[in-house]
Amino acid sequence: MSETPLTPENPVQPGAPEAAVERELAVQARQLDAADPLAELRGRFALDSADARASGAADIYLDGNSLGALPRAVPDRIADVIHREWGELRIRSWTESGWWTAPERVGDKIAPLIGAGPGRVVVGDSTSVNLFKAVVGGVRMAGKGCTEILVDATTFPTDGYIARSAARMTGLAVRPVEPARIADEVTERTALALVNHVDYRTGELNDLPGITTALHSAGALAVWDLCHSAGALPVGLDAHHVDLAVGCTYKYLNGGPGSPAFLYVRESLQERFESPLPGWNSHADPFAMDPAYTPAQGIARGRVGTPDILSLLALEAALEAWDGVAIEDVRTKSLALTDFFLACVAAYVPAGRARSVTPLNHRRRGSQVSLACSGAGEVMDELIRRGVVGDYRQPNVLRFGFTPLYTSFTDVERAAWVLGEVLGALPEVGPAAAGAGG
């Protein structure tokens, strides 16, 4: 894990008094909020009142990269689903309320946010289940003579677990490779590579276009995990000819805890895609109850069993928060928020107490900032006690996620100020770089 000294693009003079620094950056934050074209979107979420924010009593929520905030449209929609669609219409809602078509319909709502056309995304099951479908389905489409699956060596653990299980079932080997090395390591024996678009620890953005092209040049397929990029930045699945992709919906898409994940299959591959989990919902004629399985046409073959209607329709309502929003504008604000946070941390945090493990280069940064510091777990506990909600990863990484639909520049400035107070109150310790990793 590399570390980057905190050197803001618009540095505050190091000799300036703390009060003056705070006042200058707080004023700058208010100016940035006033000019922010996405600022009004915060009102689409059930966060805090304007009075609470003005008094400093509201929590600053910087953990949307783990669980997004509640969109205001969701409670009323779910109440209607429970009381009318389930309570009154009951079984009729599968047709009259559109329950049966919800996996594809919600998939089409997510598709523009990840650069996919209609009919290429289906929603249902967990990320892990969709990873299994994608990896095994990808191996089945790979050329004869393939002997290995490449796995992002920095991946979220579940991806590795699933890849190894899929490899055992298909008789292939798994080879971990750093994402930057995949282009050099792929061979004609590689069936596919499973890669995280954004590193969950560091927030580093991997090169989806370049890695996908390199895999295709060797005859391998590209399978991407979009959990930390869907809803945070443009992905361009169709434009970059990605083969298969999966992602969760409870982070930047704000679908709620445990909301169903999505599966993307490139249109030209759909008729060849053979799911390792053939269920009645993906049958060409589900209600025929035929003992012989015939897959449905198109993306519907990515379905398995009966969808989780309550979570699925909560997600559909949550996606209304994206109405009229361009993902390119979200990316612009994301980079501005993370730049400003790094600048504020550089101004407020005592020298040597924290180092960024998130790249400063915009082309290599997702929508989070990770800081290495000693005692990160205890530091985060204290931040949360003071109303700044982020999270940490062992052994020493503080993670701050920035959701442009509702995170403000004022949030960012206050969070960095509190972080500076917390770290400044700690006894002197060794360099923040010591033991960074994980």
Side-chain angles (χ1 to χ4, degrees):
M1 181 183 296
S2 62
E3 291 149 357
T4 307
L6 297 176
T7 53
E9 295 178 6
N10 300 301
V12 177
Q13 293 299 318
E18 283 189 354
V21 172
E22 194 278 336
R23 182 171 61 251
E24 179 181 337
L25 289 176
V27 169
Q28 185 179 347
R30 289 193 293 274
Q31 292 170 340
L32 290 168
D33 284 331
D36 174 18
L38 302 185
E40 60 88 17
L41 298 177
R42 186 178 178 115
R44 299 182 182 183
F45 294 86
L47 288 165
D48 44 59
S49 68
D51 290 343
R53 291 200 303 273
S55 67
D59 280 350
I60 299 167
Y61 191 64
L62 299 180
D63 207 9
N65 54 324
S66 286
L67 177 63
L70 171 66
R72 292 189 185 277
V74 171
D76 287 346
R77 175 68 180 111
I78 291 304
D80 182 63
V81 171
I82 292 172
H83 295 296
R84 184 180 64 85
E85 295 183 5
W86 179 13
E88 297 175 12
L89 295 177
R90 292 179 286 276
I91 197 71
R92 292 158 54 195
S93 280
W94 284 105
T95 53
E96 294 182 25
S97 300
W99 288 2
W100 185 262
T101 57
E104 293 89 353
R105 185 177 70 244
V106 180
D108 282 346
K109 286 179 174 283
I110 291 172
L113 302 177
I114 55 176
R120 293 163 205 182
V121 180
V122 66
V123 177
D125 308 309
S126 67
T127 306
S128 301
V129 171
N130 282 314
L131 277 167
F132 183 75
K133 296 178 202 172
V135 173
V136 176
V139 169
R140 290 175 174 177
M141 290 189 286
K144 293 183 179 179
C146 292
T147 60
E148 67 175 10
I149 298 169
L150 302 185
V151 176
D152 177 350
T154 61
T155 191
F156 188 78
T158 293
D159 295 43
Y161 306 156
I162 294 292
R164 287 176 176 82
S165 178
R168 287 193 299 273
M169 292 181 62
T170 56
L172 274 61
V174 168
R175 185 156 61 96
V177 178
E178 294 283 337
R181 295 285 308 161
I182 288 175
D184 297 320
E185 296 286 341
V186 63
T187 75
E188 70 280 359
R189 297 185 302 278
T190 305
L192 58 85
L194 172 59
V195 194
N196 282 239
H197 196 195
V198 175
D199 187 304
Y200 77 99
R201 293 185 188 89
T202 68
E204 180 169 0
L205 177 65
N206 289 317
D207 181 8
L208 182 147
I211 292 172
T212 300
T213 298
L215 289 167
H216 288 171
S217 295
L221 298 180
V223 182
W224 285 90
D225 181 333
L226 308 180
C227 284
H228 286 269
S229 60
L233 52 92
V235 179
L237 294 180
D238 286 351
H240 301 306
H241 309 291
V242 166
D243 301 300
L244 300 130
V246 302
C248 66
T249 61
Y250 48 78
K251 301 182 191 298
Y252 296 105
L253 295 177
N254 310 295
S259 56
F262 62 84
L263 169 69
Y264 164 91
V265 182
R266 181 154 54 92
E267 187 176 38
S268 63
L269 294 179
Q270 287 180 4
E271 294 311 304
R272 294 174 53 206
F273 177 71
E274 182 184 344
S275 174
L277 297 172
W280 79 288
N281 258 233
S282 63
H283 196 283
D285 188 0
F287 294 95
M289 302 301 167
D290 190 337
Y293 179 75
T294 302
Q297 295 295 308
I299 194 62
R301 64 178 55 199
R303 295 173 64 156
V304 183
T306 306
D308 183 340
I309 290 299
L310 296 182
S311 291
L312 187 56
L313 298 186
L315 169 61
E316 184 174 34
L319 291 169
E320 293 176 13
W322 288 90
D323 288 352
V325 180
I327 193 65
E328 293 77 13
D329 293 338
V330 169
R331 177 60 168 166
T332 297
K333 183 177 177 182
S334 166
L335 292 171
L337 287 167
T338 50
D339 279 344
F340 188 59
F341 182 70
L342 288 166
C344 290
V345 169
Y348 297 154
V349 171
R353 294 299 180 92
R355 291 182 180 274
S356 176
V357 294
T358 301
L360 294 181
N361 186 330
H362 284 181
R363 289 181 296 179
R364 296 177 53 220
R365 188 194 308 168
S367 198
Q368 75 182 53
V369 171
S370 295
L371 305 176
C373 78
S374 298
E378 293 77 10
V379 170
M380 184 53 69
D381 287 344
E382 180 61 17
L383 287 173
I384 293 172
R385 191 184 70 80
R386 298 191 187 198
V388 176
V389 181
D391 67 12
Y392 87 103
R393 287 294 178 265
Q394 296 179 354
N396 60 356
V397 175
L398 301 170
R399 296 198 318 168
F400 301 94
F402 300 85
T403 305
L405 298 190
Y406 55 75
T407 303
S408 70
F409 291 92
T410 297
D411 288 339
V412 166
E413 190 273 338
R414 281 186 54 212
W417 176 256
V418 175
L419 176 63
E421 287 188 325
V422 170
L423 291 179
L426 294 176
E428 290 283 346
V429 293

